[in-house]
Structure formats: structure tokens, C-alpha cells
Amino acid sequence: MVKMGLNSEGSQLSCGCGSSCLGPMTFHSEAKGQLVTLSEDGRRATRDTSSFRHGLIFSSRPLRVQEKVCVRIERCVMGWHGALRVGFTSVAPGSRAVPSLAIPELTDFPGYWAIPVPEQQCLPGSEVIFWIGPSGSLHVQTADGQRHRMKTRVDKHKPIWAMIDVYGQTNTVLLLGSMKKCFFSTRRSCPVPTVEPTEETCGYSNVPIEILERMMNQNSLEEQENRKNDNLSCCQSNRKSTGKSLNIWIENSVKFSYFSYPVGKPVHYTFDLLKFNGWS
């Protein structure tokens, strides 16, 4: 748990863009998870891949109802389950400690609302848009155009901050800005330098070695138990074991490790019976 930086509740950051500008849109520089690093002038948030949690971040200013926030998922790591969570809070960043997860460690408390984004819509380069509707519901639009709605009763009379959990497979996100459609015009957040998605910025991060070893060890224990059961069954039926289960274990392990690394980067593994030695 880390302490959020203080921020004035309901305060609006000023800019010189004119009355049609919604204001600057960045992440809060202090109210963030303990494994989050900010870059790109506070617009890019990266969670360390050593854990699937501690990736909470918040907007640096309150948002308006129907102000749509757009983020791009830049990097992913395949060693974890689940992906990006997005939402809003009426609790000012700075008033409480930042927990390790948005769901359920924040959403169990009043003033926090979040929804998981489907994993298949959280691939590198995908964009996610989310906002609070006129009725106070949480809306999310994914890259395939699908809209997801969470019925909530957000108090629209209170300041509302965007809340993002860089969770699970999601490793890095870039805040692209926000926009709000009005009757005769469209208001946008302050203009910022364009960051185009490239092979360097968008892709898959390496799975930490400790995660691979943990997975291999777990598979090894399960396989040893299966082999004991197979041997017992074979003795009772007076048949010899074919060793098929060991081959299946190695095959599954190689498949898991292969998909854990960037496409086009071959990785070779060496095995000593059921002990994982490493890669070359």
C-alpha cells in the first residue's frame, strides 16, 4: 500500500487553449500503484511485470459527465490472467491509501466504480474509451465497436476522476486524451504530441523468469502425481507405463513458454527430466 498524493477536491487545472478546451489530461503524478512508472509527460503508465497487481492510476483532474476518456493499450505480458480495468471515483485522489487492486479492494467501498475490459479486446495497439452517461452509468467502448454498460448510480453532483487499473496481462497504457460532444461543437482535452503505435511501443513484454519457474514447478508437481497414479493403475492391470504423460507435460510447457514471448522471437528451452533449466 502506498499513500496517494494530495490533490484539491474538485479543482480544475488551468490551460491557455481557450474556452472550448476541457483542460489537460494526464495521470496523477502521486496517486498511483507502487509498481507504476509514469512517462511521456504523465500520459504513459507502465506496471512492473513482476506482479499482476499494484497498477492503479487516476486522472490528474476531475472529469465531466459524458466526457469520454481514450486510452491505448501498448504492451501486454501473457504470464497473467485478466486485463485492464477502467472506471471512475468520486473520492479525491489523496484522501486514502492506494490498494493493490481496483476490484474488489476499491469497488467494495462507496464512491468507486470499475469494470473489467474483456481480455480479447486488450491486445497491444487496442484503444478503449470509457465515460459516465447522463444517468450515471459506466460505459465502455472497445476496439471492435462493442459497448459495455455497467448500471451504477454515480453522484454527478460530485467531482469525478477517471480510475484505471493496469492489471494482469495489461502492462502499459497511453492516455490519448478526452472529448465531450456538445450541442454545436465538440470539446477536447489539451492537444498533445501524437504518439504513433509502433513495434517498439506496442507488443508483448517478456514473462518474468520467476513466473515461468513457478509455472514449471506447478506442472512438475501435478505431473509427478499423475505419474504415480498411472504407475499404480498400470501395476494393477499388469501393464507397463508408456511415458505418454511426461511427453504431454513437456509439450504443454513448451507451448506455454512459446506464447509468452513476442511473436517472431524464437525461444529454445532445455529440460532435465522434470526440472526446468532455462533458455538459450
Side-chain angles (χ1 to χ4, degrees):
M1 304 274 284
V2 295
K3 191 67 180 176
M4 289 184 178
L6 295 179
N7 191 19
S8 298
E9 183 173 355
S11 64
Q12 295 284 348
L13 300 178
S14 60
C15 68
C17 301
S19 59
S20 63
C21 181
L22 293 170
M25 177 55 68
T26 60
F27 292 125
H28 198 291
S29 61
E30 298 180 25
K32 57 187 179 68
Q34 64 183 26
L35 294 183
V36 172
T37 301
L38 299 181
S39 58
E40 200 65 39
D41 294 327
R43 295 170 53 217
R44 177 179 285 129
T46 301
R47 189 200 76 243
D48 191 288
T49 58
S50 62
S51 176
F52 62 90
R53 56 175 68 200
H54 297 294
L56 269 165
I57 43 179
F58 301 84
S59 62
S60 60
R61 65 166 174 83
L63 305 177
R64 297 162 176 83
V65 175
Q66 291 190 286
E67 180 178 353
K68 298 183 177 181
V69 180
C70 183
V71 296
R72 178 195 298 151
I73 298 168
E74 291 193 321
R75 301 200 67 81
C76 299
V77 56
M78 298 300 290
W80 304 113
H81 294 290
L84 185 72
R85 280 90 184 272
V86 297
F88 293 91
T89 177
S90 60
V91 180
S95 60
R96 60 170 299 164
V98 179
S100 63
L101 299 170
I103 304 172
E105 294 184 9
L106 281 181
T107 54
D108 278 350
F109 291 91
Y112 294 94
W113 305 270
I115 183 174
V117 181
E119 288 184 28
Q120 63 270 24
Q121 299 302 326
C122 291
L123 303 179
S126 301
E127 294 182 5
V128 176
I129 302 173
F130 61 104
W131 67 95
I132 292 294
S135 64
S137 296
L138 171 57
H139 296 260
V140 177
Q141 180 175 322
T142 50
D144 61 352
Q146 293 293 320
R147 291 191 177 187
H148 309 268
R149 178 171 174 255
M150 178 182 177
K151 291 185 178 181
T152 58
R153 291 188 176 182
V154 177
D155 189 346
K156 299 179 294 182
H157 300 290
K158 292 183 178 180
I160 301 171
W161 287 262
M163 177 174 66
I164 298 175
D165 194 349
V166 187
Y167 171 83
Q169 295 180 10
T170 305
N171 180 206
T172 301
V173 298
L174 179 69
L175 187 54
L176 299 180
S178 66
M179 57 89 69
K180 175 179 169 62
K181 289 185 177 181
C182 303
F183 287 109
F184 302 106
S185 64
T186 298
R187 302 180 64 188
R188 302 182 186 277
S189 57
C190 291
V192 292
T194 301
V195 179
E196 297 293 342
T198 64
E199 292 184 0
E200 294 183 358
T201 59
C202 295
Y204 289 90
S205 303
N206 289 348
V207 178
I209 181 61
E210 58 268 21
I211 300 177
L212 287 175
E213 289 178 337
R214 191 183 313 152
M215 197 68 161
M216 299 303 177
N217 290 335
Q218 180 64 30
N219 287 343
S220 176
L221 292 174
E222 292 177 357
E223 180 56 33
Q224 290 181 35
E225 184 65 27
N226 290 337
R227 290 174 65 196
K228 289 180 182 179
N229 296 334
D230 289 345
N231 290 336
L232 179 60
S233 176
C234 289
C235 290
Q236 291 175 347
S237 60
N238 199 22
R239 290 181 299 181
K240 293 183 178 180
S241 173
T242 63
K244 181 179 180 181
S245 58
L246 178 60
N247 293 331
I248 292 176
W249 181 84
I250 294 177
E251 181 184 357
N252 289 340
S253 298
V254 172
K255 285 183 178 179
F256 168 78
S257 303
Y258 175 77
F259 285 111
S260 298
Y261 282 80
V263 176
K265 181 179 178 182
V267 181
H268 303 283
Y269 293 90
T270 58
F271 293 87
D272 179 14
L273 293 180
L274 297 178
K275 181 179 180 182
F276 172 65
N277 291 330
W279 63 84
S280 59

